[in-house]
Structure formats: C-alpha cells, structure tokens
Amino acid sequence: MDDHETPDSPSEPHPWRVLKFGGTSVATADRWKNIAHIVDRTLADGVRCVLVCSAVSGISNKLEALIETIEAGEPVGPAIDDIRSVHLKLIRELD
C-alpha cells in the first residue's frame, strides 16, 4: 500500500475475518440469531466473513462415545438417534 492509500481505498480489497462458532454458541435458535447479527454487523463494517461452525454443544462427546460403541461391537442405533434428535430439535427451533 502506498503512503497515500488508506485501507478503505478502492485499490485495497476488503479485509477478511474468520468467525468460528461452536458448542453452546450454536446450540439454540436464539444463538443462531446472534450469529446472524454478528455476521451482519461485520459485513456492514466492510469486512468479509468466513463463517466456521463446529459441533453443537455435547455432540463431540456423543461422537466420541459412538466410536467407543462401535469399537465395543455394540448397536449404534440409539447413539445415532440421540445425535440426530439434538440436530432435529435445533432445526425445528430454527424453522
């Protein structure tokens, strides 16, 4: 950047910001509304976003338990149903 250019000058691309959310911050519809507000505010500030969403609260532990269930040769249906139900509940809240 030349001395006379500013970060907002047309020759400079808008900056990027990675916004990562997971756990309790993605566990409810209200939390997703908050994420949308954060993204909107970031975009309004002229910053481009990369949105990264990791597992909903408790899901990482459930996936680890699922691996143990598989390794033990036990039926996985109940564990998968449990994981599915968490996500379906969130989908219903967001609908």
Side-chain angles (χ1 to χ4, degrees), residues 35-48:
I35 291 168
H37 176 73
I38 292 168
V39 170
D40 287 344
R41 191 176 65 227
T42 302
L43 293 171
D45 289 343
V47 179
R48 296 179 287 182

Side-chain angles (χ1 to χ4, degrees), residues 7-80:
D8 295 307
S9 68
S11 63
E12 290 292 316
H14 291 288
W16 283 91
R17 183 171 299 149
V18 176
L19 303 174
K20 181 182 179 289
F21 301 92
T24 58
S25 67
V26 296
T28 67
D30 285 340
R31 298 292 176 107
W32 277 99
K33 289 175 188 172
N34 186 53
I35 291 168
H37 176 73
I38 292 168
V39 170
D40 287 344
R41 191 176 65 227
T42 302
L43 293 171
D45 289 343
V47 179
R48 296 179 287 182
C49 298
V50 174
L51 184 59
V52 178
C53 300
S54 60
V56 171
S57 181
I59 294 298
S60 293
N61 291 341
K62 292 178 185 296
L63 290 171
E64 289 176 4
L66 177 61
I67 291 169
E68 292 173 9
T69 300
I70 292 167
E71 289 174 343
E74 298 172 6
V76 296
I80 291 173

